[in-house]
Amino acid sequence: MDLTSALQRLANYRARNSRASRQIFETGVVVFRNDALHKLGDDSWEFLESLALAAVDVGRIDVAEACLKHLSTKFPESPRVQCLEGILKEATDGAETALSFYQKLLEAEPSNAAVWKRQISVLRKLSRIEHAVEELSKFVDTFYTDVEAWLELADLYASHHHRYTLALQSLSHVLLLAPQNPFYVLQAAETAYTAEDIPLAIRFFLMTIEMTGNGDEEPPVPTGITVRAWYGIELSAARLEADPKLATSSPSETRPLEYMGQLRQLAQDVLKAAQADQQGAESQASSTWLRR
């Protein structure tokens, strides 16, 4: 790969905010070995950071160390560079050593968000879940608008402790911070379903459908996460039919809908339409392939 092509590819990766480690490494090394950092201008520092992370991912510690040397010389006190140094320690010296490194940095600067998040990541890697939850709870109190941190806290509660009510509380903050993201609403719906708060789950599933569905089609033929939301409606209605007490025992005190029978029938009709549409698309694709 020539230098011009490598520079163009790197620009494309940055524009897409891609973490394609193998491709970034193979492309970035061409620039790095040709001493062409000056051609990137101010983007050279972001490039070095991306190349270092990609090098760690593919096991080329020598390249990561070379990138870190450049960055440390230019930005000796940068929290991002310190965080990168910690990531390198995770790969070379192990999680315990990296954890000690992060803790020392946080003693000197408690509000270093990047290092704090890496510390939490290492705690989770070491299966110190209670400590990770404690630190993450402090983190979101300090950096309330960090959506990724709230999602991580929700995942910790759900996947390691099965504390689905607490996971839902974390997701409620996510929905306040990013109300237009249907994937987060769907996650809240599925968490509520698992927590047996079926009325709340149905509300969130319907909200997901409203945010993603095509209301102009008759009958509606959903795609993507809209299908998943309709499937959640069907499952929720089935659970209420099997155990009517769930309708009046919502932990969130969400009132049940009065037309669940009709809603379940609609969900079944929509899912059948989606299945038929998918089968038709697969049949058409197969026919196209056979004609080649």
Side-chain angles (χ1 to χ4, degrees):
M1 184 187 303
D2 60 70
L3 180 59
T4 302
S5 298
L7 289 170
Q8 183 59 50
R9 285 194 181 184
L10 285 172
N12 292 334
Y13 288 133
R14 287 198 302 274
R16 299 196 306 267
N17 196 26
S18 172
R19 177 112 184 231
S21 298
R22 173 61 63 180
Q23 294 90 330
I24 290 175
F25 175 78
E26 292 174 350
T27 306
V29 163
V30 175
V31 178
F32 193 68
R33 289 177 176 169
N34 280 278
D35 294 323
L37 289 176
H38 63 281
K39 294 190 176 183
L40 293 171
D42 291 337
D43 291 336
S44 62
W45 309 113
E46 185 178 349
F47 157 74
L48 284 170
E49 183 182 34
S50 298
L51 179 57
L53 290 170
V56 170
D57 286 345
V58 302
R60 286 298 303 272
I61 304 302
D62 57 326
V63 174
E65 289 175 338
C67 292
L68 182 60
K69 184 177 180 181
H70 280 281
L71 290 166
S72 298
T73 300
K74 179 66 176 178
F75 308 104
E77 302 297 327
S78 167
R80 289 176 66 168
V81 175
Q82 292 172 337
C83 189
L84 186 59
E85 184 179 354
I87 292 172
L88 190 56
K89 286 183 181 294
E90 291 179 44
T92 57
D93 300 330
E96 290 286 359
T97 300
L99 182 61
S100 297
F101 175 74
Y102 292 139
Q103 288 171 339
K104 288 179 181 178
L105 290 176
L106 288 171
E107 288 173 5
E109 181 50 67
S111 62
N112 189 328
V115 170
W116 202 348
K117 291 174 82 169
R118 289 309 308 173
Q119 179 200 44
I120 293 166
S121 176
V122 172
L123 286 170
R124 186 166 187 175
K125 186 184 301 183
L126 292 169
S127 297
R128 300 180 187 175
I129 305 303
E130 291 292 347
H131 193 179
V133 168
E134 179 184 349
E135 287 297 322
L136 196 47
S137 297
K138 293 177 183 177
F139 182 90
V140 294
D141 281 343
T142 306
F143 301 99
Y144 176 78
T145 58
D146 193 315
V147 172
E148 289 184 356
W150 282 110
L151 288 169
E152 179 76 5
L153 184 57
D155 183 63
L156 280 172
Y157 280 135
S159 60
H160 289 278
H161 294 292
H162 307 298
R163 300 175 185 171
Y164 298 109
T165 300
L166 291 176
L168 269 174
Q169 290 177 7
S170 298
L171 290 172
S172 69
H173 293 283
V174 173
L175 297 183
L176 284 173
L177 294 167
Q180 303 304 318
N181 191 316
F183 291 94
Y184 298 157
V185 179
L186 180 63
Q187 184 176 348
E190 293 177 342
T191 303
Y193 179 87
T194 307
E196 297 195 336
D197 193 340
I198 306 303
L200 180 62
I202 291 170
R203 301 278 182 175
F204 280 138
F205 282 129
L206 288 173
M207 191 182 301
T208 305
I209 292 165
E210 183 179 0
M211 295 171 70
T212 61
N214 185 351
D216 296 332
E217 287 196 45
E218 238 354 287
V221 180
T223 58
I225 68 170
T226 316
V227 175
R228 188 164 177 145
W230 276 112
Y231 188 57
I233 291 289
E234 206 283 328
L235 287 177
S236 298
R239 288 196 66 181
L240 289 180
E241 185 177 312
D243 187 359
K245 291 181 180 179
L246 289 173
T248 55
S249 59
S250 166
S252 63
E253 298 184 353
T254 302
R255 295 182 61 182
L257 300 178
E258 298 178 357
Y259 47 89
M260 285 309 305
Q262 298 94 313
L263 186 58
R264 184 182 185 187
Q265 184 60 57
L266 177 59
Q268 292 172 344
D269 293 342
V270 169
L271 291 171
K272 286 178 182 177
Q275 184 178 17
D277 187 68
Q278 178 64 27
Q279 290 173 344
E282 291 174 355
S283 177
Q284 183 177 5
S286 178
S287 299
T288 302
W289 183 84
L290 289 172
R291 288 196 298 268
R292 290 178 180 176

